[in-house]
């Protein structure tokens, strides 16, 4: 039995025990991951997180087996106009009926110290932990060909 099968079985067991929580109020769309270069030890993942419930929620943690540490990051411009990455310990709010975008040049999931190579077409299993919705595990494709939507040109730091 693979690790992944075990995880799915565990989730099924939890859903069975608590049928009221079987339907998550959080939907994750358009998720993908990138690494900076082939030899890079870091990478990032981006997605759109939707809250279909009527209670505000918050993404408070993230984890993955592909990196030593996986953190919630954002970009911020410093006094000199340089973009810096910051670890956002309080996480990202996802308002009721709203969404929160993780996008290049903004908020993102950061992989620090990749424990394996990530190539185009690989799949990264990511667990997002929400304050109310709990853990959501998703398979995120590594997409190195995707172009930034817009606004990625400012600052020297890119993923
Ligand atoms: Cu980062």
């Amino acid at each position: 039995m693979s690790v992944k099968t075990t995880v799915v079985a565990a989730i099924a067991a939890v859903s069975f025990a608590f049928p009221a929580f079987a339907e998550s109020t959080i939907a994750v769309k358009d998720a993908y991951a990138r690494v900076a270069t082939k030899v890079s030890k870091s990478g990032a993942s981006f997605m759109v997180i939707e809250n279909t419930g009527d209670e505000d929620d918050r993404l408070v943690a993230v984890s993955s087996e592909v990196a030593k540490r996986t953190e919630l990051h954002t970009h911020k411009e410093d006094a000199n106009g340089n973009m810096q990455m910051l670890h956002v310990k309080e996480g990202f709010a996802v308002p009721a009926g709203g969404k929160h975008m993780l996008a290049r040049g903004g908020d993102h999931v950061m992989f620090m110290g990749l424990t394996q190579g990530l190539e185009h077409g690989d799949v990264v299993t990511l667990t997002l932990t929400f304050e109310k919705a709990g853990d959501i595990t998703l398979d995120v494709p590594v997409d190195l060909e995707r172009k930034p939507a817009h606004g990625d040109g400012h600052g020297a730091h890119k993923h």
Side-chain angles (χ1 to χ4, degrees):
M1 188 186 258
S2 73
V3 171
K4 200 164 162 186
T5 311
T6 311
V7 170
V8 170
I11 291 169
V14 169
S15 301
F16 181 75
F18 304 101
F21 295 99
E23 290 224 349
S24 178
T25 53
I26 295 290
V28 179
K29 293 184 178 159
D30 206 22
Y32 69 102
R34 293 182 66 98
V35 289
T37 67
K38 261 200 157 172
V39 293
S40 177
K41 287 279 185 281
S42 66
S45 176
F46 313 96
M47 65 200 72
V48 179
I49 301 165
E50 288 184 5
N51 182 352
T52 58
D54 48 17
E55 266 194 300
D56 292 347
D57 210 336
R58 179 175 284 272
L59 173 60
V60 289
V62 64
S63 64
S64 176
E65 289 192 345
V66 300
K68 291 197 183 88
R69 278 193 300 155
T70 310
E71 296 180 349
L72 298 171
H73 272 198
T74 194
H75 282 102
K76 204 173 181 185
E77 204 170 334
D78 69 14
N80 301 318
N82 297 314
M83 295 302 277
Q84 289 190 323
M85 285 205 302
L86 296 174
H87 180 194
V88 185
K89 293 187 183 72
E90 71 274 19
F92 305 131
V94 190
K99 58 185 166 185
H100 188 89
M101 300 260 303
L102 304 187
R104 295 173 74 185
D107 298 340
H108 56 280
V109 168
M110 187 84 192
F111 303 116
M112 303 174 83
L114 289 172
T115 55
Q116 62 188 78
L118 295 181
E119 300 205 7
H120 186 75
D122 284 353
V123 171
V124 175
T125 301
L126 204 61
T127 300
L128 306 177
T129 304
F130 292 87
E131 216 166 58
K132 298 199 177 95
D135 286 357
I136 293 176
T137 299
L138 56 150
D139 289 335
V140 177
V142 177
D143 187 339
L144 303 181
E145 290 171 0
R146 187 181 295 232
K147 300 281 189 291
H150 61 86
D152 195 42
H154 56 273
H157 178 92
K158 285 179 195 169
H159 286 303

